[in-house]
């Protein structure tokens, strides 16, 4: 329900987690004469509390998305489980990179962008191939409850 506003405001939208949402973004882009890039959110950890596509759903979604004209699927993003040590995020970041490499070959999508890592674990994410990191807490401090 925020698609039109997001398309109006942003050139890139992360956390796209369904074909339905992709087509809604496509329709909004068509109406507004815009183009956007998106990153697909992949729930690599399988946590029920996290959003995102199950890894096995991504190749089918990419095949279905071939008809998009105004939306470019530029890459993938993930949020690992919160672990006591930042190093605990490494297997999840590595898995997304490995899946990306596999899907590149299988689908023909470049998927050059990997958004993974936050203030707590961004160094590990970069080591595992992140091209985007989210470091709001490091820059602005923690959120007030």
């Amino acid at each position: 329900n925020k698609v039109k506003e997001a398309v109006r405001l942003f050139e890139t939208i992360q956390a796209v987690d369904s074909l339905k949402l992709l087509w809604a973004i496509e329709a909004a882009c068509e109406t507004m004469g815009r183009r956007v890039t998106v990153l697909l959110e992949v729930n690599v950890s399988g946590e029920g509390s996290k959003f995102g596509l199950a890894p096995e759903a991504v190749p089918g979604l990419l095949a279905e998305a071939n008809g998009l004209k105004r939306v470019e699927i530029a890459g993938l993003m993930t949020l690992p489980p919160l672990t006591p040590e930042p190093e605990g995020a490494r297997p999840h970041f590595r898995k997304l990179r490995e899946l990306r490499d596999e899907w590149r070959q299988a689908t023909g999508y470049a998927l050059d962008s990997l958004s993974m890592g936050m203030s707590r674990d961004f160094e590990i994410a970069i080591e595992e191939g992140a091209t985007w990191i989210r470091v709001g807490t490091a820059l602005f401090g923690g959120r007030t409850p």
Side-chain angles (χ1 to χ4, degrees):
N1 54 353
K2 299 176 185 173
V3 168
K4 289 178 188 172
E5 192 70 6
V7 167
R8 185 178 71 74
L9 293 171
F10 304 113
E11 293 180 15
T12 300
I13 300 172
Q14 294 196 27
V16 174
D17 63 357
S18 72
L19 186 60
K20 180 180 174 183
L21 181 54
L22 271 175
W23 284 105
I25 294 168
E26 174 81 6
C29 285
E30 182 67 35
T31 299
M32 294 180 208
R34 303 260 346 248
R35 299 181 92 68
V36 298
T37 58
V38 301
L39 303 183
L40 299 179
E41 182 173 4
V42 183
N43 186 345
V44 175
S45 69
E47 284 182 285
S49 62
K50 294 261 190 325
F51 292 101
L53 294 154
E56 59 272 11
V58 174
L61 182 141
L62 291 171
E64 293 282 330
N66 274 332
L68 297 171
K69 293 179 174 75
R70 295 186 169 268
V71 176
E72 175 193 357
I73 300 173
L76 310 167
M77 66 87 59
T78 197
L79 295 170
L82 187 59
T83 59
E85 296 297 322
E87 188 65 33
R90 186 179 300 277
H92 304 283
F93 297 151
R94 181 174 294 140
K95 182 66 175 174
L96 186 66
R97 179 179 39 81
E98 290 170 349
L99 288 168
R100 186 274 314 265
D101 294 347
E102 178 184 318
W103 296 333
R104 275 178 160 171
Q105 296 226 336
T107 68
Y109 281 87
L111 304 173
D112 289 330
S113 296
L114 283 180
S115 177
M116 49 190 198
M118 297 173 76
S119 295
R120 186 170 186 278
D121 54 19
F122 72 89
E123 293 99 341
I124 294 161
I126 292 169
E127 290 171 5
E128 292 298 336
T131 60
W132 292 59
I133 54 173
R134 300 173 300 278
V135 292
T137 300
L139 296 173
F140 304 112
R143 293 183 182 158
T144 306

